[in-house]
């Protein structure tokens, strides 16, 4: 991008547009393109130097979904002098590529157009976002249907035929209702976590955390749920430094990684908590088939379930968001046993009131 004199003879620095992720095209008072950033050149498929100085309509031959010339409809230079912008709209380039376009009109004292600024965004980004939201809605609807159907069925049966069941039968149905209610609560918690992670609004209530104790609580919960205690090994080699973290979120991180090892792995689940630099390192390893190298980059994305059906596929995505929210990092590698080893590290951190 280069700087060009504006109609009044001053030089305006347009280089700031180069760092924007969206495409930007700027035309002067005559309609000649005086600047465009690399993002715009990529969207248009033409080098920056080949487009500078051309008429804006030639650089951006945009049409709407009905094939009408957008510039003929909007008429920025000789149209309404009171208009200062065009709201975002999906338009099409001659290549058939869809773009989301917003235009701003910078006018002089008499209302004449002195600079036209057009912002471009590839509509495939919005399509991916729309698909992601649709996938989330579909996944949530599917995961909610089963427990809610169960809750509805058992409560309706109990209300209609209470006297026909003995105490043990009633307790069994109520335990099932309670478990399904817990499942719905977990799902809603996951959705709230995803929303906060995406929006960058994670709240951390930090205090000194005993991470080995969090690991042992996760194991105890699984043993209470029916897993054999012999399937778990907890190791804490070395003296651990003091770590400030959100205890609820540490429980959630460890719990999700243990659940992932049980659901996707096999054999013994080994959890190791070690000192790492000034903080700590936690490794959760199983003895399953492991994760192929070409898949490792995708395991922390939304809806990853491996080869297993069921579940939301949000657990590892949430793990990554919570670990990074503490200033740490998480990765997956191959365990010595050949299974998957999820490793996350946490810095020592500071109290919330000091951040």
């Amino acid at each position: 991008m280069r700087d060009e004199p504006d109609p009044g003879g001053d030089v305006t620095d347009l280089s700031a547009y180069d760092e924007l992720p969206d495409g930007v095209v700027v035309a002067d008072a005559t309609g000649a393109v005086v600047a465009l950033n690399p993002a715009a050149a990529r969207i248009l498929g033409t080098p920056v130097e080949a487009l500078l100085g051309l008429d804006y309509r030639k650089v951006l031959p945009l049409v709407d979904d009905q094939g009408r010339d957008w510039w003929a409809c909007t008429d920025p230079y000789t149209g309404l002098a009171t208009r200062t912008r065009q709201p975002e709209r999906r338009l099409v380039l001659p290549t058939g590529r869809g773009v989301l376009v917003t235009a701003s009109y910078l006018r002089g004292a008499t209302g004449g157009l002195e600079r036209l600024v057009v912002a471009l965004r590839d509509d495939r980004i919005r399509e991916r976002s729309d698909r992601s939201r649709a996938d989330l809605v579909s996944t949530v609807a599917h995961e909610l249907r089963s427990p809610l159907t169960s809750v509805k069925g058992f409560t309706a049966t109990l209300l209609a035929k209470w006297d026909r069941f003995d105490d043990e039968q009633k307790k069994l149905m109520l335990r099932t209702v309670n478990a399904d209610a817990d499942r719905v609560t977990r799902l809603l918690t996951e959705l709230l976590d995803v929303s906060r992670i995406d929006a960058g609004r994670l709240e951390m209530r930090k205090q000194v955390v005993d991470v080995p104790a969090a690991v042992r609580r996760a194991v105890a919960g699984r043993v209470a749920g029916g897993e054999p205690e012999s399937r778990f090994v907890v190791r804490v080699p070395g003296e651990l430094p003091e770590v400030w973290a959100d205890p609820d979120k540490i429980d959630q991180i460890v719990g999700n990684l243990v659940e992932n090892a049980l659901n996707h792995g096999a054999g013994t689940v080994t959890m190791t908590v070690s000192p790492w630099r000034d903080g700590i390192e936690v490794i959760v390893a199983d003895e399953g088939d492991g994760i192929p190298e070409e898949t490792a980059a995708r395991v922390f994305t939304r809806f990853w379930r491996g080869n297993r059906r069921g579940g939301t596929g949000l657990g590892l995505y949430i793990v990554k968001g919570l670990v990074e929210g503490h200033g740490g990092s998480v990765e997956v590698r191959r365990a010595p046993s050949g299974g998957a080893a999820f490793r996350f590290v946490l810095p020592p951190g500071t109290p919330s009131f000091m951040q």
Side-chain angles (χ1 to χ4, degrees):
M1 182 178 285
R2 70 185 183 202
D3 298 331
E4 294 286 341
D6 68 13
D10 298 325
V11 174
T12 303
D13 182 12
L14 302 171
S15 61
Y17 290 130
D18 289 350
E19 304 303 321
L20 295 177
D22 293 343
V24 178
V25 178
V26 183
D28 64 13
T30 69
V33 171
V34 294
L36 70 157
N37 66 354
R42 286 195 297 272
I43 291 173
L44 298 172
T46 306
V48 171
E49 296 75 15
L51 298 173
L52 290 172
L54 298 180
D55 185 83
Y56 71 99
R57 289 164 293 195
K58 186 172 183 180
V59 173
L60 294 170
L62 299 166
V63 298
D64 62 19
D65 292 334
Q66 284 74 45
R68 296 173 296 192
D69 182 347
W70 192 62
W71 297 120
C73 297
T74 57
D75 196 9
Y77 284 87
T78 59
L80 291 173
T82 56
R83 180 173 291 166
T84 59
R85 66 183 300 273
Q86 289 286 347
E88 186 178 78
R89 181 168 181 178
R90 184 186 184 279
L91 300 170
V92 182
L93 293 166
T95 58
R97 184 175 189 173
V99 288
L100 302 172
V101 178
T102 305
S104 295
Y105 304 156
L106 306 183
R107 298 189 180 276
T110 62
L113 185 58
E114 295 185 353
R115 195 176 297 280
L116 170 66
V117 182
V118 183
L120 309 171
R121 181 182 302 171
D122 192 331
D123 73 343
R124 286 178 293 188
I125 297 174
R126 173 169 290 184
E127 289 176 359
R128 286 195 294 270
S129 177
D130 290 343
R131 283 198 301 271
S132 179
R133 283 194 292 269
D135 288 344
L136 185 59
V137 170
S138 176
T139 299
V140 170
H142 177 77
E143 291 298 316
L144 283 174
R145 183 181 296 114
S146 177
L148 290 179
T149 299
S150 172
V151 168
K152 176 63 176 176
F154 279 117
T155 53
T157 300
L158 286 171
L159 287 171
K161 303 176 182 180
W162 179 266
D163 295 333
R164 298 187 185 183
F165 301 106
D166 59 31
D167 288 346
E168 286 304 315
Q169 291 172 320
K170 291 174 183 176
K171 287 180 181 178
L172 175 61
M173 285 188 272
L174 288 174
R175 279 195 293 267
T176 303
V177 169
N178 186 61
D180 285 330
D182 287 342
R183 182 176 165 188
V184 171
T185 300
R186 286 195 300 272
L187 176 59
L188 295 178
T189 300
E190 285 187 349
L191 294 176
L192 288 172
D193 287 334
V194 168
S195 174
R196 292 181 182 123
I197 290 169
D198 289 346
R201 294 188 291 104
L202 278 176
E203 295 180 3
M204 295 291 177
R205 295 178 174 85
K206 293 186 177 181
Q207 61 188 61
V208 176
V209 173
D210 186 342
V211 177
V215 171
R216 294 187 182 100
R217 280 196 299 273
V219 171
R222 287 295 170 173
V223 171
E227 292 288 344
E229 189 172 357
S230 60
R231 191 175 179 185
F232 301 97
V233 174
V234 178
R235 296 173 179 165
V236 187
E239 185 176 351
L240 300 175
E242 184 178 272
V243 172
W244 285 79
D246 186 314
D248 292 336
K249 291 179 173 56
I250 296 302
D251 285 343
Q252 192 173 357
I253 291 167
V254 174
N256 280 359
L257 290 178
V258 171
E259 180 178 6
N260 180 77
L262 294 172
N263 291 340
H264 295 277
T268 302
V269 178
T270 302
M271 287 152 285
T272 307
V273 186
S274 310
W276 180 83
R277 296 182 182 175
D278 294 332
I280 63 167
E281 169 190 76
V282 181
I283 299 175
V284 180
D286 63 67
E287 298 176 335
D289 295 330
I291 296 174
E293 186 175 347
E294 62 273 13
T295 306
R298 302 201 306 271
V299 299
F300 296 106
T301 58
R302 288 185 184 185
F303 311 123
W304 183 84
R305 301 184 183 89
N307 296 322
R308 177 176 170 269
R309 289 181 170 272
T312 61
L314 296 173
L316 293 178
Y317 177 81
I318 292 171
V319 165
K320 183 174 185 293
L322 296 181
V323 170
E324 292 179 349
H326 282 86
S329 61
V330 62
E331 63 180 352
V332 61
R333 56 177 65 167
R334 184 168 290 277
S337 63
F342 284 85
R343 171 184 178 267
F344 71 90
V345 296
L346 295 173
T350 54
S352 297
F353 64 86
M354 296 177 61
Q355 291 187 324

